[in-house]
Amino acid sequence: MTQSSKSTSKSKSNALEKKVEDFVLQQKNNTYNYKQVAHAIGAKTPTQQRNIALQLVEMAFKGDIIEVSPGKYKSPQRGNEAIGIFVRRSNGKNSVVTETDGEAIFVAERNSMHALNGDRVRVNIAARRRGVEPEAEVVEIIEKKEQTFIGTLKVDKHFGYLLTDSKFLSTDIFIPKAKLKGGKTGDKAVVRITEWKEDFKNPSGEVIDILGKSGENTAEIHAILAEYGLPYKYPSAVEKAADKIDAGITDEVIANRIDMRDVLTFTIDPVDAKDFDDALSFRTLPNGNYEVGVHIADVTHYVHPDTIIDKEAQKRATSVYLVDRVVPMLPEHLCNGICSLRPDEEKLAFSVIFEMDKDAKVLNSTIARTVIKSNRRFSYEEAQEVIETGLGDCVEEIQALNEMAKILRRQRYENGSVEFDRAEVKFHIDEKGKPLGVFFKVSKDANKLIEEFMLLANRTVATYVGKPVGKKKPKAFVYRVHDVPDPSRLADLAAIARNFGYKVKASGTPREINRSINKMLAEVKGRGEENYLATLAIRSMAKAIYTTDNIGHYGLGFEYYTHFTSPIRRYPDMMVHRLLERYLDGGRSVNLQKLEEQCKHSSEMEQLAANAERSSIKYKQVEYMQEHLGESYSGIISGVTEWGLYVELNDNLCEGLVPMRDLADDYYDFDEKNHCLIGRRHNHRYRLGDNVAIKVARADLEKKQLDFVLLDDKGNAMRREDDMGSKMSVQEALSHGKKKRRRK
């Protein structure tokens, strides 16, 4: 290269660096990755994009910008002092997440003031040193978060301890004898920390509740709920208030509603359901079109704002569906009684009534309060049999609805709805809660029939308020929204899919991107890479939330969407019912800020309920697999982390960990971008979605953890045989592993 060309190349490089720096300076509190920077400054070549990625890494190393998550950056907004939320971890890796820019800054235990997870704190931040992670010191606990800890009691002669199950606390909690509330050794208990002196290693606390003996099913399920701050029993005062409510379907009430008691109506629900909150009606109109009614339990007719029942429902925000029980949002008298759309009983409903032709085109719709009478209660299995055989009750009606549902579903996918279809794991459980077997819940036509008409009703209600006819302005409303995927994850998915010969669009309209994902998911069916690519596609998506700020529902491809169809089990649906009633009567818009606060709370409680549900499934999986120690299974790698491989078994969808310490054939490095572990010497790769064979090594109910060991082609364990089936403790095994096994 000539001196002139070298000079030109360096000049271009400097110009590119200057553009990146200018872009960063303009971002204020926005986050960005190298692809977004490259697009913004017009850097199109792979070399330019690679240089931008390296420059961002160097800037983060210097402390000029912050890497808030892998590959995602933002400019620092902090000074030497900050306020944030304390994040405590049992492994000692505490941090504070600052309110200004969301940066997670490490806090050593000696500098924590014994702040607990979720406390709002003020911190001093040490001066940044090149190449060293920033560190903070808590100087004030501004606001303590109310919280409890779950664990097993150990009681001595004069005092007791709670051996905690928490991932947020590494120490046991000391409990004075007088504060044990009758608890004995082996009891599962809920404990509140009352004091944690600065120079004491252990906090002191008091027992709030005794859940039962450790290992008993009810005690363990209640412990899961308590762990996530969810209620595990219903206040008697609320139940008594509900018991006083009468169905009250008087002539006066009926006179103010559309009377649809003579129209054929039925429910389709799980076989064990008791809270029927939706029903369908069907009849053929004189013009040959169909009238389809989506009827939803009129919960808000009975539950009025600011009553004791409403306050409890708002606090809970959702029913919680665990493996062996439902923890309801509303008292049983309401959810399984007067609100439930049971057959042969007159019921009050909030309905969306559609006139549709045989091609499922909606010609017009009406949103109104109604009175109905269900003629038949179908389970999904019974309705499916009607669809498949053409025999049974309501054959013509169910088959006509099924044909329309198929058209609606096809149109939805053509318009950009993403087609994810994964089986759910369920358990056969005896009367004591012990899992006897595992089965899969697969969505069939009967499930999809109900799904499509619920989606149609939800979409219609949201459009009515969010996109009013004429010159009317939209009013404050509760939307169910789903944001666009993270651009970097989508780009990674597109790049990895391209390696297998599939095309996924990483940019374009939501419709274009989602149709390309659906095409890839259809093409990959039955192929070796199906699990890998399908899992990556799911993980590229954002979480759906409730909000007043309508940004549309990306996954469904809907511009307007809400939750209207399940008010028995979701508080946002009750909010929507009240808003609809207000706006149908010509009422003014409600306070947006208060509504948004309720939306945020509902989203948070929904996430906690989902976590509890997964935790209960995990507990039952471990309990079930305790009976299968030493047995071999085939599975797929469902997660790849720096601490090992997660494997999901094909036979029962139980998931366990192959610890990194047990990969004894090589030293492995974690490639986060490509979701794999790579052996340094032999270059062997364990990748997300790969098929593997395993043996069940350990089942730890306390930690809800299964440990697997990989098997080779001959069915031999791929680690030292003296580790298999040993009866040493977990701590001994860890110590043994440090001495004898190669680790990363």
Side-chain angles (χ1 to χ4, degrees):
M1 183 183 287
T2 66
Q3 190 67 31
S4 176
S5 60
K6 284 182 180 178
S7 177
T8 302
S9 176
K10 187 174 182 180
S11 177
K12 287 182 178 179
S13 176
N14 290 340
L16 184 68
E17 288 180 6
K18 180 65 167 60
K19 286 183 178 180
V20 172
E21 290 170 358
D22 289 343
F23 173 87
V24 167
L25 287 172
Q26 295 168 11
Q27 295 314 298
K28 295 184 179 179
N29 206 32
N30 297 327
T31 58
Y32 44 85
N33 57 34
Y34 81 91
K35 292 185 178 72
Q36 291 168 307
V37 178
H39 177 75
I41 66 176
K44 298 179 180 179
T45 70
T47 300
Q48 289 175 322
Q49 293 180 2
R50 183 171 63 253
N51 288 340
I52 291 170
L54 291 172
Q55 185 179 346
L56 292 175
V57 170
E58 178 66 17
M59 291 175 75
F61 182 75
K62 292 178 179 178
D64 297 334
I65 58 176
I66 301 164
E67 188 173 18
V68 293
S69 62
K72 183 173 282 189
Y73 304 91
K74 70 187 301 184
S75 302
Q77 303 293 311
R78 58 173 166 80
N80 294 327
E81 187 181 90
I83 292 174
I85 301 299
F86 191 82
V87 179
R88 175 172 285 281
R89 288 287 182 264
S90 60
N91 60 8
K93 295 182 179 179
N94 307 326
S95 62
V96 61
V97 179
T98 62
E99 292 180 349
T100 51
D101 55 20
E103 181 185 8
I105 305 174
F106 174 71
V107 180
E109 181 60 36
R110 64 182 182 278
N111 295 325
S112 70
M113 285 185 69
H114 294 320
L116 296 177
N117 192 66
D119 288 352
R120 190 164 178 258
V121 298
R122 187 187 311 277
V123 296
N124 283 339
I125 303 169
R128 178 71 180 253
R129 290 182 292 162
R130 181 183 174 90
V132 177
E133 289 294 318
E135 189 170 337
E137 176 185 7
V138 177
V139 294
E140 181 188 0
I141 299 175
I142 301 171
E143 183 181 341
K144 296 192 74 66
K145 182 184 178 184
E146 185 66 32
Q147 58 189 299
T148 55
F149 294 89
I150 318 302
T152 304
L153 288 176
K154 182 181 179 182
V155 180
D156 294 332
K157 189 174 182 179
H158 301 293
F159 55 84
Y161 282 99
L162 183 80
L163 310 177
T164 65
D165 301 339
S166 177
K167 60 185 177 183
F168 300 121
L169 194 67
S170 60
T171 62
D172 301 330
I173 302 173
F174 171 79
I175 306 170
K177 193 85 170 179
K179 302 289 185 179
L180 282 167
K181 208 173 182 178
K184 299 178 179 63
T185 295
D187 283 349
K188 207 82 175 181
V190 183
V191 168
R192 181 176 68 88
I193 290 177
T194 54
E195 184 182 34
W196 196 347
K197 294 181 180 179
E198 190 172 344
D199 53 345
F200 279 41
K201 180 182 177 182
N202 296 78
S204 297
E206 62 181 357
V207 172
I208 301 299
D209 199 7
I210 302 294
L211 302 176
K213 283 294 178 186
S214 182
E216 290 180 351
N217 182 65
T218 296
E220 296 295 342
I221 295 298
H222 284 178
I224 288 170
L225 291 164
E227 176 188 351
Y228 292 101
L230 297 169
Y232 47 89
K233 52 190 175 184
Y234 220 94
S236 58
V238 181
E239 288 186 326
K240 287 177 182 176
D243 290 340
K244 295 177 183 177
I245 298 175
D246 183 76
I249 305 178
T250 63
D251 291 341
E252 184 181 0
V253 170
I254 293 172
N256 292 318
R257 294 170 176 261
I258 298 176
D259 189 346
M260 299 189 71
R261 289 175 291 179
D262 293 332
V263 182
L264 177 68
T265 303
F266 49 83
T267 60
I268 305 177
D269 289 282
V271 66
D272 56 351
K274 296 177 182 177
D275 53 345
F276 311 135
D277 50 11
D278 59 80
L280 292 176
S281 67
F282 182 93
R283 63 180 166 187
T284 303
L285 299 173
N287 61 7
N289 292 329
Y290 298 139
E291 180 193 83
V292 179
V294 177
H295 306 288
I296 309 303
D298 193 355
V299 174
T300 56
H301 175 83
Y302 300 103
V303 181
H304 300 138
D306 298 325
T307 60
I308 186 174
I309 301 172
D310 181 62
K311 287 177 180 176
E312 183 67 24
Q314 184 176 349
K315 184 170 71 173
R316 292 176 177 236
T318 180
S319 295
V320 185
Y321 290 80
L322 304 179
V323 166
D324 65 341
R325 71 195 65 197
V326 177
V327 182
M329 180 182 76
L330 295 168
E332 187 174 351
H333 178 64
L334 292 174
C335 64
N336 295 347
I338 61 175
C339 292
S340 184
L341 306 182
R342 300 185 297 198
D344 302 318
E345 296 181 14
E346 293 181 349
K347 296 290 180 179
L348 301 182
F350 215 145
S351 307
V352 186
I353 305 161
F354 300 98
E355 181 181 350
M356 306 174 73
D357 63 21
K358 294 180 181 180
D359 295 323
K361 182 179 180 181
V362 176
L363 304 173
N364 59 67
S365 62
T366 302
I367 302 171
R369 286 193 132 123
T370 61
V371 57
I372 66 168
K373 187 176 183 180
S374 174
N375 302 91
R376 175 74 151 83
R377 185 257 162 147
F378 289 93
S379 68
Y380 281 120
E381 291 78 10
E382 290 171 333
Q384 186 63 30
E385 189 173 349
V386 171
I387 291 169
E388 291 177 359
T389 67
L391 302 173
D393 297 334
C394 310
V395 174
E396 292 181 8
E397 292 82 6
I398 288 178
Q399 291 192 333
L401 287 167
N402 184 51
E403 289 305 312
M404 286 193 287
K406 286 182 175 179
I407 295 169
L408 290 171
R409 188 160 61 253
R410 186 176 66 248
Q411 291 173 345
R412 184 160 57 82
Y413 291 143
E414 287 173 353
N415 290 329
S417 190
V418 187
E419 187 175 5
F420 292 125
D421 196 9
R422 263 181 77 85
E424 292 182 55
V425 62
K426 299 288 183 181
F427 294 89
H428 294 296
I429 292 176
D430 69 13
E431 65 279 359
K432 293 183 179 179
K434 183 179 179 180
L436 304 176
V438 182
F439 65 96
F440 303 141
K441 178 185 171 185
V442 180
S443 184
K444 295 185 177 181
D445 284 345
N447 305 78
K448 294 173 181 177
L449 183 163
I450 292 297
E451 179 186 21
E452 289 305 322
F453 282 101
M454 296 306 116
L455 289 174
L456 181 62
N458 287 333
R459 187 182 186 184
T460 301
V461 165
T463 304
Y464 170 79
V465 178
K467 193 178 180 181
V469 177
K471 296 182 179 179
K472 295 180 181 178
K473 292 183 179 180
K475 296 177 180 177
F477 200 56
V478 176
Y479 294 98
R480 180 69 168 178
V481 306
H482 186 229
D483 207 349
V484 297
D486 180 278
S488 60
R489 288 190 178 185
L490 200 56
D492 289 345
L493 172 64
I496 293 169
R498 190 161 51 245
N499 292 336
F500 288 98
Y502 306 104
K503 186 176 181 180
V504 172
K505 292 181 71 67
S507 60
T509 66
R511 178 177 177 179
E512 291 170 340
I513 293 170
N514 289 356
R515 288 181 72 173
S516 74
I517 292 174
N518 286 342
K519 187 171 185 290
M520 183 269 289
L521 291 172
E523 291 173 347
V524 81
K525 282 282 186 188
R527 302 196 177 188
E529 60 270 20
E530 177 183 358
N531 291 321
Y532 181 35
L533 293 177
T535 303
L536 283 183
I538 291 171
R539 292 182 182 181
S540 70
M541 295 291 158
K543 282 186 172 67
I545 61 168
Y546 299 105
T547 179
T548 58
D549 181 18
N550 182 39
I551 59 171
H553 198 293
Y554 181 89
L556 291 172
F558 291 167
E559 187 179 356
Y560 297 92
Y561 189 65
T562 190
H563 273 172
F564 160 80
T565 53
S566 295
I568 286 178
R569 61 185 180 90
R570 295 187 305 224
Y571 194 79
D573 300 57
M574 289 176 60
M575 293 160 63
V576 165
H577 281 218
R578 286 173 180 155
L579 291 170
L580 267 180
E581 180 184 23
R582 180 187 182 98
Y583 298 156
L584 285 168
D585 292 341
R588 297 176 64 181
S589 187
V590 299
N591 182 279
L592 194 66
Q593 183 178 347
K594 184 178 178 182
L595 196 63
E596 181 62 31
E597 288 171 1
Q598 292 177 325
C599 286
K600 184 180 178 184
H601 172 71
S602 294
S603 296
E604 291 170 351
M605 295 303 293
E606 177 189 39
Q607 187 59 54
L608 288 175
N611 291 341
E613 179 185 0
R614 282 193 291 270
S615 192
S616 77
I617 292 171
K618 187 70 178 176
Y619 182 84
K620 289 301 172 189
Q621 286 176 331
V622 176
E623 188 179 6
Y624 175 72
M625 293 305 291
Q626 275 186 326
E627 306 295 324
H628 301 275
L629 291 177
E631 295 182 16
S632 301
Y633 293 88
S634 61
I636 64 161
I637 295 176
S638 55
V640 183
T641 70
E642 63 266 32
W643 56 84
L645 303 169
Y646 286 95
V647 176
E648 184 180 82
L649 305 185
N650 296 328
D651 287 354
N652 50 37
L653 298 187
C654 292
E655 187 180 62
L657 176 69
V658 179
M660 182 73 82
R661 65 178 182 271
D662 289 345
L663 298 175
D665 61 321
D666 204 343
Y667 293 95
Y668 283 89
D669 291 314
F670 175 43
D671 183 346
E672 185 175 21
K673 183 175 181 181
N674 293 299
H675 309 277
C676 65
L677 296 180
I678 305 172
R680 292 185 186 178
R681 290 184 299 169
H682 307 305
N683 201 38
H684 182 75
R685 294 174 182 239
Y686 291 109
R687 188 183 61 185
L688 186 73
D690 281 352
N691 292 302
V692 292
I694 63 91
K695 184 177 287 187
V696 183
R698 285 181 292 273
D700 188 331
L701 264 178
E702 282 293 317
K703 294 183 178 179
K704 304 181 189 71
Q705 182 174 308
L706 290 171
D707 277 3
F708 298 155
V709 61
L710 291 174
L711 303 178
D712 62 20
D713 294 339
K714 296 180 181 179
N716 297 317
M718 294 173 62
R719 70 173 190 183
R720 300 179 191 276
E721 279 298 324
D722 61 355
D723 292 331
M724 276 301 297
S726 87
K727 295 183 179 180
M728 66 175 71
S729 69
V730 174
Q731 193 58 45
E732 289 169 352
L734 286 170
S735 175
H736 181 73
K738 288 176 183 176
K739 294 175 183 176
K740 293 195 173 184
R741 296 189 197 107
R742 292 174 178 155
R743 302 183 64 184
K744 180 181 171 186

